[in-house]
Protein backbone atom coordinates (compact mmCIF):
# COMPACT_ATOMS: atom_id res chain seq x y z
CA UNK A 1 0.00 0.00 0.00
CA UNK A 2 1.44 3.37 -1.05
CA UNK A 3 1.09 6.47 1.10
CA UNK A 4 -2.34 8.10 1.04
CA UNK A 5 -2.54 11.70 -0.10
CA UNK A 6 -5.22 14.30 0.69
CA UNK A 7 -8.74 12.81 0.75
CA UNK A 8 -12.02 14.59 0.10
CA UNK A 9 -14.74 15.63 -2.32
CA UNK A 10 -13.51 15.52 -5.90
CA UNK A 11 -16.80 16.45 -7.57
CA UNK A 12 -20.38 17.26 -6.64
CA UNK A 13 -23.64 17.59 -8.60
CA UNK A 14 -27.33 17.47 -7.78
CA UNK A 15 -30.66 16.68 -9.37
CA UNK A 16 -34.09 18.08 -8.55
CA UNK A 17 -37.63 17.26 -9.67
CA UNK A 18 -38.90 19.03 -12.78
CA UNK A 19 -41.50 21.06 -10.82
CA UNK A 20 -41.45 23.48 -7.92
CA UNK A 21 -43.95 25.35 -5.78
CA UNK A 22 -43.58 29.06 -5.17
CA UNK A 23 -43.96 29.82 -1.45
CA UNK A 24 -45.77 33.09 -2.28
CA UNK A 25 -48.50 31.01 -3.96
CA UNK A 26 -48.62 28.66 -0.95
CA UNK A 27 -48.90 31.59 1.47
CA UNK A 28 -51.95 32.91 -0.43
CA UNK A 29 -53.55 29.45 -0.51
CA UNK A 30 -53.03 28.90 3.22
CA UNK A 31 -53.99 32.45 4.25
CA UNK A 32 -50.54 33.14 5.72
CA UNK A 33 -48.58 36.41 5.39
CA UNK A 34 -46.03 35.93 2.58
CA UNK A 35 -43.33 37.41 4.84
CA UNK A 36 -43.76 34.59 7.31
CA UNK A 37 -42.40 32.15 4.72
CA UNK A 38 -39.98 34.58 3.03
CA UNK A 39 -38.48 36.21 6.12
CA UNK A 40 -39.75 34.11 9.05
CA UNK A 41 -38.58 30.82 7.51
CA UNK A 42 -36.26 32.11 4.77
CA UNK A 43 -37.78 30.01 1.97
CA UNK A 44 -38.97 31.06 -1.49
CA UNK A 45 -39.47 27.90 -3.58
CA UNK A 46 -39.57 24.16 -2.92
CA UNK A 47 -39.07 21.28 -5.32
CA UNK A 48 -42.01 18.87 -5.54
CA UNK A 49 -41.48 15.32 -6.78
CA UNK A 50 -43.91 13.59 -9.15
CA UNK A 51 -44.61 9.86 -8.96
CA UNK A 52 -41.86 8.94 -11.44
CA UNK A 53 -39.29 11.02 -9.51
CA UNK A 54 -38.70 8.67 -6.58
CA UNK A 55 -35.47 8.61 -4.49
CA UNK A 56 -33.87 6.07 -6.86
CA UNK A 57 -34.59 8.14 -9.99
CA UNK A 58 -33.32 11.31 -8.31
CA UNK A 59 -30.19 9.53 -7.01
CA UNK A 60 -29.38 7.95 -10.37
CA UNK A 61 -29.91 11.28 -12.11
CA UNK A 62 -27.46 13.03 -9.78
CA UNK A 63 -24.95 10.16 -10.01
CA UNK A 64 -25.07 9.98 -13.78
CA UNK A 65 -24.60 13.73 -14.06
CA UNK A 66 -21.66 13.49 -11.65
CA UNK A 67 -19.82 10.83 -13.66
CA UNK A 68 -20.41 12.63 -16.94
CA UNK A 69 -19.44 16.09 -15.69
CA UNK A 70 -16.38 15.00 -13.69
CA UNK A 71 -14.97 12.86 -16.48
CA UNK A 72 -14.87 9.75 -14.25
CA UNK A 73 -15.55 6.31 -15.64
CA UNK A 74 -17.86 4.01 -13.63
CA UNK A 75 -15.01 1.45 -13.48
CA UNK A 76 -13.15 3.79 -11.08
CA UNK A 77 -15.83 3.39 -8.36
CA UNK A 78 -15.23 0.84 -5.58
CA UNK A 79 -17.72 2.09 -2.97
CA UNK A 80 -21.30 3.26 -3.53
CA UNK A 81 -23.41 4.39 -0.58
CA UNK A 82 -26.75 6.20 -0.63
CA UNK A 83 -27.91 8.12 2.43
CA UNK A 84 -31.70 8.35 2.48
CA UNK A 85 -34.62 8.47 4.87
CA UNK A 86 -37.08 7.89 2.01
CA UNK A 87 -36.38 4.17 1.59
CA UNK A 88 -38.22 2.36 -1.20
CA UNK A 89 -37.99 -1.10 0.40
CA UNK A 90 -37.24 -2.55 3.86
CA UNK A 91 -34.50 -4.72 2.37
CA UNK A 92 -33.34 -3.75 -1.12
CA UNK A 93 -31.38 -0.53 -0.80
CA UNK A 94 -31.59 2.49 -3.10
CA UNK A 95 -27.85 1.96 -3.66
CA UNK A 96 -28.47 -1.41 -5.39
CA UNK A 97 -30.72 0.21 -7.98
CA UNK A 98 -28.18 3.02 -8.44
CA UNK A 99 -25.39 0.47 -8.84
CA UNK A 100 -27.34 -1.21 -11.64
CA UNK A 101 -28.63 1.93 -13.34
CA UNK A 102 -25.17 3.53 -13.48
CA UNK A 103 -23.37 0.36 -14.54
CA UNK A 104 -20.93 0.34 -11.60
CA UNK A 105 -18.41 -2.51 -11.28
CA UNK A 106 -19.34 -5.71 -9.43
CA UNK A 107 -16.21 -5.34 -7.28
CA UNK A 108 -17.82 -2.60 -5.22
CA UNK A 109 -19.06 -2.10 -1.61
CA UNK A 110 -22.71 -1.07 -1.97
CA UNK A 111 -25.07 -0.07 0.85
CA UNK A 112 -27.70 2.40 2.06
CA UNK A 113 -27.39 4.46 5.26
CA UNK A 114 -30.16 5.93 7.36
CA UNK A 115 -30.12 8.39 10.17
CA UNK A 116 -32.64 11.06 9.15
CA UNK A 117 -30.68 13.92 7.54
CA UNK A 118 -27.38 12.59 8.93
CA UNK A 119 -27.37 9.43 6.75
CA UNK A 120 -25.27 10.78 3.88
CA UNK A 121 -22.71 12.22 6.30
CA UNK A 122 -22.25 8.78 7.86
CA UNK A 123 -21.67 7.45 4.32
CA UNK A 124 -19.29 10.28 3.37
CA UNK A 125 -17.16 9.91 6.50
CA UNK A 126 -17.07 6.11 6.07
CA UNK A 127 -15.85 6.62 2.51
CA UNK A 128 -13.01 8.91 3.62
CA UNK A 129 -11.99 6.32 6.23
CA UNK A 130 -12.20 3.55 3.57
CA UNK A 131 -9.73 5.50 1.46
CA UNK A 132 -7.51 6.39 4.46
CA UNK A 133 -7.33 2.69 5.43
CA UNK A 134 -5.82 1.81 2.05
CA UNK A 135 -8.76 -0.45 1.12
CA UNK A 136 -9.69 1.76 -1.84
CA UNK A 137 -6.49 0.88 -3.74
CA UNK A 138 -6.78 4.02 -5.85
CA UNK A 139 -10.52 3.71 -6.47
CA UNK A 140 -13.08 6.40 -5.67
CA UNK A 141 -16.34 6.36 -3.69
CA UNK A 142 -19.71 7.51 -4.97
CA UNK A 143 -21.82 8.99 -2.16
CA UNK A 144 -25.39 10.06 -2.89
CA UNK A 145 -27.93 11.72 -0.63
CA UNK A 146 -31.49 11.37 -1.96
CA UNK A 147 -34.76 12.28 -0.27
CA UNK A 148 -38.28 13.59 -0.62
CA UNK A 149 -39.21 15.82 2.32
CA UNK A 150 -42.94 15.72 3.05
CA UNK A 151 -45.27 16.99 5.74
CA UNK A 152 -49.06 16.98 5.82
CA UNK A 153 -50.82 19.56 3.66
CA UNK A 154 -51.79 22.52 5.85
CA UNK A 155 -49.40 21.57 8.69
CA UNK A 156 -46.70 24.01 9.97
CA UNK A 157 -44.09 21.81 8.26
CA UNK A 158 -45.69 22.18 4.80
CA UNK A 159 -43.57 25.22 3.72
CA UNK A 160 -40.39 23.31 4.67
CA UNK A 161 -40.72 20.47 2.14
CA UNK A 162 -38.47 19.80 -0.84
CA UNK A 163 -36.93 16.98 -2.88
CA UNK A 164 -33.62 16.22 -4.54
CA UNK A 165 -30.40 14.26 -4.61
CA UNK A 166 -26.77 15.32 -4.25
CA UNK A 167 -24.00 13.08 -5.60
CA UNK A 168 -20.36 13.34 -4.51
CA UNK A 169 -17.22 11.67 -5.71
CA UNK A 170 -14.81 11.03 -2.84
CA UNK A 171 -11.21 10.29 -3.69
CA UNK A 172 -7.54 10.99 -3.09
CA UNK A 173 -6.23 14.31 -4.46
CA UNK A 174 -9.77 15.81 -4.55
CA UNK A 175 -10.36 18.70 -6.91
CA UNK A 176 -12.94 20.49 -4.69
CA UNK A 177 -12.54 19.99 -0.93
CA UNK A 178 -9.83 18.25 1.12
CA UNK A 179 -11.46 16.90 4.27
CA UNK A 180 -9.74 16.70 7.67
CA UNK A 181 -10.20 12.95 8.04
CA UNK A 182 -10.52 11.65 11.60
CA UNK A 183 -11.04 15.09 13.15
CA UNK A 184 -14.77 15.53 13.67
CA UNK A 185 -16.89 16.63 16.61
CA UNK A 186 -19.87 14.37 17.22
CA UNK A 187 -23.01 14.30 19.34
CA UNK A 188 -25.98 11.91 19.67
CA UNK A 189 -29.09 11.73 21.84
CA UNK A 190 -32.26 9.59 21.71
CA UNK A 191 -35.07 12.11 21.06
CA UNK A 192 -38.43 12.19 19.27
CA UNK A 193 -38.11 15.50 17.47
CA UNK A 194 -38.99 14.18 13.98
CA UNK A 195 -39.90 10.69 12.80
CA UNK A 196 -41.37 8.85 9.80
CA UNK A 197 -43.39 5.75 10.79
CA UNK A 198 -43.06 2.92 8.28
CA UNK A 199 -46.71 3.13 7.11
CA UNK A 200 -46.59 6.89 6.35
CA UNK A 201 -45.07 9.01 3.60
CA UNK A 202 -45.53 12.29 5.48
CA UNK A 203 -43.11 12.95 8.35
CA UNK A 204 -44.32 13.61 11.88
CA UNK A 205 -42.51 16.32 13.77
CA UNK A 206 -42.47 18.20 17.06
CA UNK A 207 -41.42 21.34 15.17
CA UNK A 208 -40.31 23.73 17.89
CA UNK A 209 -38.63 20.90 19.82
CA UNK A 210 -36.78 19.84 16.63
CA UNK A 211 -35.30 23.33 16.39
CA UNK A 212 -34.13 23.11 20.02
CA UNK A 213 -32.63 19.64 19.41
CA UNK A 214 -30.76 20.87 16.31
CA UNK A 215 -29.29 23.86 18.18
CA UNK A 216 -28.37 21.80 21.25
CA UNK A 217 -26.65 19.18 19.07
CA UNK A 218 -24.76 21.91 17.20
CA UNK A 219 -23.40 23.40 20.44
CA UNK A 220 -22.16 19.99 21.64
CA UNK A 221 -20.72 18.87 18.29
CA UNK A 222 -18.97 22.19 17.73
CA UNK A 223 -17.35 22.15 21.17
CA UNK A 224 -16.24 18.55 20.58
CA UNK A 225 -14.79 19.54 17.19
CA UNK A 226 -12.89 22.41 18.83
CA UNK A 227 -11.25 19.86 21.14
CA UNK A 228 -10.37 17.50 18.25
CA UNK A 229 -9.21 20.14 15.81
CA UNK A 230 -7.91 22.80 18.18
CA UNK A 231 -5.68 25.40 16.55
CA UNK A 232 -5.34 25.69 12.82
CA UNK A 233 -6.66 28.46 10.66
CA UNK A 234 -10.08 29.96 11.36
CA UNK A 235 -13.08 28.77 9.33
CA UNK A 236 -13.83 31.42 6.71
CA UNK A 237 -17.23 29.93 5.75
CA UNK A 238 -19.61 27.44 7.35
CA UNK A 239 -22.24 25.24 5.71
CA UNK A 240 -25.04 24.04 7.98
CA UNK A 241 -27.79 21.49 7.50
CA UNK A 242 -30.58 23.63 6.00
CA UNK A 243 -34.17 22.48 6.68
CA UNK A 244 -35.08 26.12 5.86
CA UNK A 245 -32.86 29.20 5.55
CA UNK A 246 -33.74 30.75 8.89
CA UNK A 247 -32.52 27.60 10.69
CA UNK A 248 -29.00 28.26 9.40
CA UNK A 249 -29.30 31.77 10.78
CA UNK A 250 -30.28 30.45 14.22
CA UNK A 251 -27.47 27.89 13.99
CA UNK A 252 -24.89 30.55 13.25
CA UNK A 253 -25.93 32.55 16.31
CA UNK A 254 -25.49 29.51 18.55
CA UNK A 255 -22.18 28.55 17.02
CA UNK A 256 -20.96 32.18 17.25
CA UNK A 257 -21.95 32.37 20.93
CA UNK A 258 -19.61 29.43 21.59
CA UNK A 259 -16.90 31.62 20.00
CA UNK A 260 -17.86 34.52 22.27
CA UNK A 261 -19.69 36.69 19.68
CA UNK A 262 -22.94 38.47 20.53
CA UNK A 263 -26.02 38.28 18.25
CA UNK A 264 -25.30 41.52 16.40
CA UNK A 265 -21.77 40.37 15.53
CA UNK A 266 -23.06 36.90 14.59
CA UNK A 267 -25.66 38.41 12.24
CA UNK A 268 -23.02 40.57 10.50
CA UNK A 269 -20.76 37.55 10.14
CA UNK A 270 -23.69 35.46 8.80
CA UNK A 271 -24.05 37.60 5.67
CA UNK A 272 -20.42 37.01 4.73
CA UNK A 273 -19.77 33.49 5.96
CA UNK A 274 -23.10 31.62 5.62
CA UNK A 275 -25.53 33.41 3.27
CA UNK A 276 -23.79 32.33 0.00
CA UNK A 277 -24.41 28.67 0.93
CA UNK A 278 -28.19 29.18 1.16
CA UNK A 279 -29.05 30.23 -2.40
CA UNK A 280 -29.74 26.76 -3.84
CA UNK A 281 -31.70 25.73 -0.73
CA UNK A 282 -33.99 28.75 -1.10
CA UNK A 283 -35.00 27.37 -4.53
CA UNK A 284 -35.21 23.69 -3.57
CA UNK A 285 -36.29 23.52 0.09
CA UNK A 286 -35.28 20.82 2.54
CA UNK A 287 -33.84 17.75 0.81
CA UNK A 288 -33.10 16.04 4.13
CA UNK A 289 -29.87 13.96 3.74
CA UNK A 290 -28.59 16.15 0.93
CA UNK A 291 -29.30 19.56 2.48
CA UNK A 292 -25.83 20.14 3.92
CA UNK A 293 -24.23 19.12 0.62
CA UNK A 294 -26.58 21.31 -1.42
CA UNK A 295 -25.32 24.14 0.81
CA UNK A 296 -21.73 23.15 -0.02
CA UNK A 297 -22.56 23.11 -3.75
CA UNK A 298 -24.19 26.54 -3.41
CA UNK A 299 -21.14 27.95 -1.61
CA UNK A 300 -18.69 26.57 -4.17
CA UNK A 301 -20.86 27.78 -7.05
CA UNK A 302 -20.85 31.29 -5.58
CA UNK A 303 -17.31 31.59 -4.27
CA UNK A 304 -14.93 28.78 -5.21
CA UNK A 305 -12.31 31.09 -6.72
CA UNK A 306 -12.11 33.28 -3.61
CA UNK A 307 -12.03 30.28 -1.30
CA UNK A 308 -9.24 28.21 -2.87
CA UNK A 309 -6.81 27.22 -0.11
CA UNK A 310 -9.18 28.41 2.64
CA UNK A 311 -10.64 26.34 5.47
CA UNK A 312 -14.43 25.89 5.78
CA UNK A 313 -16.67 24.16 8.34
CA UNK A 314 -19.59 21.76 7.81
CA UNK A 315 -22.35 20.86 10.25
CA UNK A 316 -24.58 17.84 9.70
CA UNK A 317 -27.72 17.22 11.79
CA UNK A 318 -30.11 14.29 11.62
CA UNK A 319 -33.20 14.15 13.80
CA UNK A 320 -33.45 11.40 16.29
CA UNK A 321 -30.68 12.66 16.75
CA UNK A 322 -27.06 12.60 15.54
CA UNK A 323 -24.77 15.47 14.58
CA UNK A 324 -21.22 15.97 13.41
CA UNK A 325 -19.11 19.09 12.86
CA UNK A 326 -16.08 18.78 10.58
CA UNK A 327 -13.87 20.88 8.33
CA UNK A 328 -11.97 20.92 5.07
CA UNK A 329 -9.84 23.06 2.81
CA UNK A 330 -11.04 24.20 -0.62
CA UNK A 331 -8.64 22.69 -3.16
CA UNK A 332 -6.36 24.73 -5.41
CA UNK A 333 -8.06 24.79 -8.81
CA UNK A 334 -11.55 24.23 -7.34
CA UNK A 335 -13.01 27.13 -9.36
CA UNK A 336 -12.10 25.45 -12.65
CA UNK A 337 -13.70 22.22 -11.46
CA UNK A 338 -16.84 24.06 -10.35
CA UNK A 339 -17.13 25.66 -13.81
CA UNK A 340 -16.80 22.24 -15.42
CA UNK A 341 -19.53 20.78 -13.17
CA UNK A 342 -21.98 23.57 -14.15
CA UNK A 343 -23.54 23.42 -10.68
CA UNK A 344 -26.34 25.90 -11.33
CA UNK A 345 -27.75 24.04 -14.37
CA UNK A 346 -30.59 22.14 -12.59
CA UNK A 347 -31.99 25.48 -11.34
CA UNK A 348 -31.36 27.57 -14.46
CA UNK A 349 -34.28 29.67 -15.74
CA UNK A 350 -36.60 27.42 -17.73
CA UNK A 351 -35.18 24.20 -16.29
CA UNK A 352 -38.20 23.66 -14.01
CA UNK A 353 -41.94 24.30 -14.17
CA UNK A 354 -43.91 26.24 -11.55
CA UNK A 355 -46.82 24.23 -10.15
CA UNK A 356 -50.21 25.73 -9.42
CA UNK A 357 -51.63 24.95 -5.99
CA UNK A 358 -54.31 22.61 -7.46
CA UNK A 359 -51.60 20.78 -9.47
CA UNK A 360 -49.43 20.40 -6.33
CA UNK A 361 -52.34 19.09 -4.28
CA UNK A 362 -53.30 16.71 -7.10
CA UNK A 363 -49.75 15.32 -7.16
CA UNK A 364 -50.03 14.57 -3.46
CA UNK A 365 -53.50 12.99 -3.76
CA UNK A 366 -52.17 10.81 -6.58
CA UNK A 367 -49.61 9.20 -4.24
CA UNK A 368 -51.70 6.31 -3.02
CA UNK A 369 -52.05 4.76 -6.47
CA UNK A 370 -48.83 6.03 -8.03
CA UNK A 371 -46.62 3.15 -6.90
CA UNK A 372 -48.98 0.63 -8.45
CA UNK A 373 -48.98 1.67 -12.07
CA UNK A 374 -46.60 2.74 -14.75
CA UNK A 375 -46.31 6.51 -14.79
CA UNK A 376 -46.23 8.85 -17.73
CA UNK A 377 -42.59 9.44 -18.36
CA UNK A 378 -41.10 12.65 -19.66
CA UNK A 379 -38.62 11.79 -22.39
CA UNK A 380 -36.24 14.50 -21.11
CA UNK A 381 -35.68 12.70 -17.80
CA UNK A 382 -32.69 10.36 -17.93
CA UNK A 383 -34.08 8.17 -15.12
CA UNK A 384 -37.67 7.52 -14.07
CA UNK A 385 -39.62 5.21 -11.77
CA UNK A 386 -42.08 3.25 -13.93
CA UNK A 387 -44.11 1.51 -11.20
CA UNK A 388 -44.03 -1.98 -9.72
CA UNK A 389 -44.59 -5.23 -11.60
CA UNK A 390 -46.95 -8.04 -10.45
CA UNK A 391 -44.19 -9.46 -8.19
CA UNK A 392 -43.83 -5.99 -6.56
CA UNK A 393 -40.42 -5.38 -8.13
CA UNK A 394 -39.70 -1.72 -8.85
CA UNK A 395 -39.05 -0.87 -12.49
CA UNK A 396 -37.00 2.05 -13.82
CA UNK A 397 -36.27 3.71 -17.10
CA UNK A 398 -32.56 4.30 -17.57
CA UNK A 399 -30.83 6.68 -19.92
CA UNK A 400 -27.28 7.44 -18.79
CA UNK A 401 -26.01 10.89 -19.72
CA UNK A 402 -23.15 10.70 -22.19
CA UNK A 403 -21.86 14.18 -21.67
CA UNK A 404 -22.33 16.92 -19.03
P1 LIG B 1 -44.28 27.67 12.69
O1 LIG B 1 -45.49 27.19 13.40
O2 LIG B 1 -44.44 28.28 11.35
O3 LIG B 1 -43.40 28.64 13.62
O4 LIG B 1 -43.31 26.43 12.55
P2 LIG B 1 -43.59 30.15 14.01
O5 LIG B 1 -45.03 30.51 14.06
O6 LIG B 1 -42.74 30.34 15.24
O7 LIG B 1 -42.98 30.99 12.79
C1 LIG B 1 -41.69 30.75 12.29
C2 LIG B 1 -40.93 32.08 12.22
O8 LIG B 1 -41.64 32.98 11.37
C3 LIG B 1 -40.79 32.80 13.57
O9 LIG B 1 -39.50 33.36 13.64
C4 LIG B 1 -41.83 33.91 13.49
O10 LIG B 1 -41.52 35.04 14.30
C5 LIG B 1 -41.72 34.27 12.02
P3 LIG B 1 -38.42 32.85 14.73
O11 LIG B 1 -39.03 33.04 16.07
O12 LIG B 1 -38.22 31.38 14.43
O13 LIG B 1 -37.21 33.66 14.46
N1 LIG B 1 -42.89 35.00 11.49
C6 LIG B 1 -42.81 36.04 10.63
N2 LIG B 1 -41.75 36.69 10.13
C7 LIG B 1 -42.00 37.75 9.28
N3 LIG B 1 -43.25 38.17 8.97
C8 LIG B 1 -44.33 37.55 9.47
C9 LIG B 1 -44.15 36.43 10.35
N4 LIG B 1 -44.97 35.60 11.01
C10 LIG B 1 -44.19 34.71 11.71
N5 LIG B 1 -45.57 37.96 9.12
C11 LIG B 1 -41.36 25.16 12.07
C12 LIG B 1 -41.98 26.56 12.08
C13 LIG B 1 -39.93 25.25 11.55
C14 LIG B 1 -41.35 24.57 13.48
C15 LIG B 1 -42.23 24.24 11.12
O14 LIG B 1 -42.16 24.75 9.82
C16 LIG B 1 -41.79 22.80 11.13
O15 LIG B 1 -42.22 22.01 11.98
N6 LIG B 1 -40.92 22.38 10.14
C17 LIG B 1 -40.42 21.01 10.06
C18 LIG B 1 -39.38 20.72 11.13
C19 LIG B 1 -38.06 21.41 10.88
O16 LIG B 1 -37.73 21.81 9.79
N7 LIG B 1 -37.22 21.47 11.95
C20 LIG B 1 -35.90 22.07 11.83
C21 LIG B 1 -34.91 21.48 12.84
S1 LIG B 1 -34.86 19.70 12.82
C22 LIG B 1 -34.00 19.32 11.35
O17 LIG B 1 -33.40 20.17 10.75
C23 LIG B 1 -34.08 17.91 10.86
C24 LIG B 1 -34.97 17.69 9.67
O18 LIG B 1 -34.33 18.18 8.50
C25 LIG B 1 -35.33 16.22 9.53
C26 LIG B 1 -34.22 15.18 9.48
O19 LIG B 1 -33.20 15.24 10.17
O20 LIG B 1 -34.45 14.20 8.76
C27 LIG B 1 -36.30 18.43 9.79
Amino acid sequence: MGSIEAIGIDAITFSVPRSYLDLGDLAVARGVAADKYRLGLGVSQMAIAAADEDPVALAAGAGSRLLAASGRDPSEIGFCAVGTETAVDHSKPVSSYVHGLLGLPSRCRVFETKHACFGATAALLSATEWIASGAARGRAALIIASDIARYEIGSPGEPTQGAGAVAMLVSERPRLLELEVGRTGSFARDVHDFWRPLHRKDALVDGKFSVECYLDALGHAYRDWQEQAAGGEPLVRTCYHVPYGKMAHKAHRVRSSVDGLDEAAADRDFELTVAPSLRFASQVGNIYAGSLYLALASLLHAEAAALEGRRIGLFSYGSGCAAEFFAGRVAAGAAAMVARLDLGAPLAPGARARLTIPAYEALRRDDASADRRASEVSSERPFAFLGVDPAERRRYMSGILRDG
Side-chain angles (χ1 to χ4, degrees), residues 214-274:
Y214 176 122
L215 296 175
D216 180 58
L218 167 61
H220 282 91
Y222 183 56
R223 283 189 204 90
D224 187 37
W225 175 78
Q226 285 181 319
E227 284 177 29
Q228 312 306 317
E233 288 166 37
L235 303 176
V236 298
R237 300 287 183 272
T238 304
C239 297
Y240 296 98
H241 167 57
V242 190
Y244 52 96
K246 182 75 162 290
M247 188 70 231
H249 204 148
K250 290 175 193 277
H252 196 61
R253 283 185 174 174
V254 164
R255 144 95 193 294
S256 301
S257 74
V258 175
D259 290 334
L261 297 184
D262 63 20
E263 279 193 4
D267 289 353
R268 274 196 306 278
D269 192 57
F270 173 86
E271 290 307 324
L272 174 72
T273 69
V274 183

Side-chain angles (χ1 to χ4, degrees), residues 6-10 169 171-179 331-332:
I7 297 167
I9 301 172
D10 182 65
L169 227 134
S171 70
E172 280 187 75
R173 296 179 296 282
R175 288 172 284 180
L176 290 181
L177 185 68
E178 295 170 6
L179 290 168

Side-chain angles (χ1 to χ4, degrees), residues 20-27 37 44-46 354-355 357:
Y20 70 92
L21 193 61
D22 185 273
L23 271 296
D25 296 345
L26 187 67
Y37 293 165
S44 57
Q45 297 172 352
M46 55 190 188
R354 180 172 172 166
L355 286 171
I357 295 292

Side-chain angles (χ1 to χ4, degrees), residues 52 73 92 96 155 159 189-190 202 243 273 293 298 356 362 380 397:
D52 59 331
D73 190 85
K92 189 171 163 73
S96 281
S155 71
R189 183 158 73 110
D190 179 7
D202 295 339
T273 69
Y293 303 101
S298 184
T356 62
E380 297 134 44
M397 184 184 81

Side-chain angles (χ1 to χ4, degrees), residues 145-167:
S146 185
D147 271 312
I148 296 170
R150 293 184 35 149
Y151 302 91
E152 266 175 27
I153 286 189
S155 71
E158 187 183 25
T160 66
Q161 300 177 108
V166 181

Side-chain angles (χ1 to χ4, degrees), residues 36 40 85 116-117 156 160 207-208 210 241 243-244 246 250 286 319:
K36 173 167 180 181
E85 55 168 294
C117 301
T160 66
K208 302 275 161 61
S210 74
H241 167 57
Y244 52 96
K246 182 75 162 290
K250 290 175 193 277
N286 192 356
S319 285

